[in-house]
């Protein structure tokens, strides 16, 4: 249980950081200033120094017309945020393919149930995403569904918690929880920064995902690995001799995951729409 505390705290704390603190570039913020070039010493006629000073002074004078510098932090957040869905989904699948046991299969079933519940809640609540999303040119594939709660936040909260509590040995749970918390916080910061969600939508999704994971761990897995769903999976989906399910059965999580994961689902919908128009 202690392992989920750093994940929750770091995730929520980083989400609340003001945009300037994380050094994100924006045309409407003055947190990142343009480089300053001191004028050349009096009486020194150095054309390189003078040209450098004049060019920097000219770009500063242009104000918002000149491109704002992009920090390394900005790029890191962008890369992690854009790839989080694929990285987490593929990593989870590879772990499932490596173990092929009842425990990971039960955790995978829980992650699917968690993802489906997020979509149902979105339909029920019908809470709009930030209005600035439609004018944000950085987001090419704009989601059309509601924003409350964030599906990404629910998935990151659920998967991070069940992996930490159910798979990682107890002596490593704190450090793994911290690593997953920082990764999740950066990925979710991207979604707030680029107008995909509000802070409230992400915080709600994170809280729901962690709560679902705790409930799934308690009732489906069980404290002594005797939960009802885990027992059912052991009796019906894995070999009684090896305790593993066949490799061919991995096709099922691939198909189900592609249909449930938001980014894949949107890409499939766009592809089908283009095919229909053709």
């Amino acid at each position: 249980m202690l392992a989920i505390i750093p994940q929750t705290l770091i995730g929520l704390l980083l989400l609340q950081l003001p945009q300037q603190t994380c050094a994100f570039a924006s045309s409407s913020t003055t947190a990142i200033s343009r480089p300053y070039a001191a004028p050349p010493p009096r009486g020194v006629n150095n054309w390189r120094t003078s040209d450098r000073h004049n060019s920097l002074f000219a770009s500063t004078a242009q104000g918002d017309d000149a491109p704002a510098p992009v920090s390394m932090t900005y790029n890191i957040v962008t890369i992690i945020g854009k790839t989080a869905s694929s990285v987490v989904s593929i990593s989870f699948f590879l772990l499932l393919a490596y173990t092929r046991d009842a425990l990971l299969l039960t955790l995978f079933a829980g992650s699917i149930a968690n993802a489906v519940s997020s979509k149902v809640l979105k339909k029920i609540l019908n809470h709009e995403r930030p209005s600035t999303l439609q004018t944000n040119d950085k987001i090419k594939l704009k989601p059309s569904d509601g924003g409350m709660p964030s599906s990404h936040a629910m998935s990151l909260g659920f998967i991070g918690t069940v992996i930490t509590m159910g798979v990682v040995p107890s002596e490593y749970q704190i450090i793994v929880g911290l690593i997953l918390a920082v990764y999740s916080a950066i990925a979710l910061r991207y979604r707030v920064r680029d107008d995909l969600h509000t802070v409230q939508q992400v915080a709600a999704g994170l809280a729901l995902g962690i709560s679902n994971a705790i409930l799934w761990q308690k009732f489906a897995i069980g404290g002594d690995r005797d939960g009802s769903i885990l027992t059912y999976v052991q009796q019906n989906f894995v070999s009684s001799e090896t305790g593993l399910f066949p490799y061919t059965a991995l096709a099922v999580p691939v198909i189900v995951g592609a249909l449930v994961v938001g980014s894949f689902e949107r890409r499939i919908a766009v592809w089908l729409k283009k095919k229909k128009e053709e």
Side-chain angles (χ1 to χ4, degrees):
M1 184 65 68
L2 290 175
I4 67 171
I5 295 177
Q7 182 172 350
T8 307
L9 292 179
I10 292 180
L12 293 177
L13 283 174
L14 287 186
L15 283 172
Q16 293 294 343
L17 285 176
Q19 198 162 356
Q20 292 88 339
T21 305
C22 291
F24 298 130
S26 172
S27 60
S28 60
T29 182
T30 57
I32 304 176
S33 59
R34 300 187 183 280
Y36 171 74
R42 191 182 297 270
V44 176
N45 186 14
N46 188 322
W47 64 269
R48 294 188 181 185
T49 305
S50 179
D51 284 353
R52 177 174 178 270
H53 169 69
N54 290 336
S55 62
L56 289 175
F57 176 80
S59 74
T60 304
Q62 292 174 4
D64 292 338
D65 294 335
V70 177
S71 69
M72 182 181 295
T73 305
Y74 184 95
N75 289 329
I76 291 173
V77 171
T78 300
I79 293 171
I80 292 178
K82 284 186 173 182
T83 60
S85 179
S86 300
V87 168
V88 172
S89 300
I90 293 172
S91 299
F92 199 4
F93 172 77
L94 291 176
L95 182 61
L96 177 64
Y98 176 75
T99 59
R100 292 189 296 125
D101 61 8
L103 174 62
L104 261 296
L105 190 56
T106 306
L107 295 180
F108 173 79
S111 70
I112 295 300
N114 178 73
V116 171
S117 67
S118 72
K119 296 182 182 299
V120 172
L121 285 172
K122 281 185 175 183
K123 291 288 186 182
I124 295 173
L125 297 175
N126 196 25
H127 194 276
E128 292 185 359
R129 295 174 185 262
S131 58
T132 48
L133 172 62
Q134 299 306 317
T135 57
N136 189 339
D137 295 334
K138 292 180 290 185
I139 305 299
K140 303 301 181 185
L141 190 61
K142 293 179 172 58
S144 57
D145 56 348
M148 176 67 83
S150 165
S151 299
H152 283 74
M154 280 189 68
S155 293
L156 287 170
F158 184 92
I159 294 174
T161 303
V162 294
I163 292 298
T164 303
M165 294 177 62
V167 179
V168 178
S170 57
E171 61 268 28
Y172 301 113
Q173 286 183 353
I174 295 295
I175 184 64
V176 172
L178 284 170
I179 293 172
L180 294 178
V182 172
Y183 178 84
S184 299
I186 294 173
L188 297 177
R189 176 61 187 175
Y190 162 80
R191 303 194 69 77
V192 174
R193 186 199 71 188
D194 279 21
D195 306 319
L196 287 162
H197 288 288
T198 64
V199 172
Q200 292 78 9
Q201 291 169 351
V202 168
L206 187 63
L208 285 170
I210 294 173
S211 300
N212 289 342
I214 295 172
L215 292 173
W216 192 260
Q217 183 71 24
K218 182 177 181 179
F219 297 107
I221 305 298
D224 297 321
R225 303 285 173 89
D226 57 354
S228 58
I229 296 181
L230 177 59
T231 302
Y232 180 81
V233 171
Q234 289 171 333
Q235 294 174 350
N236 295 276
F237 294 99
V238 298
S239 169
S240 58
E241 297 178 356
T242 63
L244 306 175
F245 61 86
Y247 281 110
T248 54
L250 288 171
V252 175
V254 169
I255 296 172
V256 174
L259 293 174
V260 171
V261 175
S263 57
F264 294 146
E265 179 189 4
R266 284 192 291 272
R267 286 182 172 86
I268 292 172
V270 171
W271 180 79
L272 290 174
K273 184 179 179 181
K274 288 181 178 178
K275 284 293 182 180
K276 187 176 180 180
E277 292 174 351
E278 292 175 357

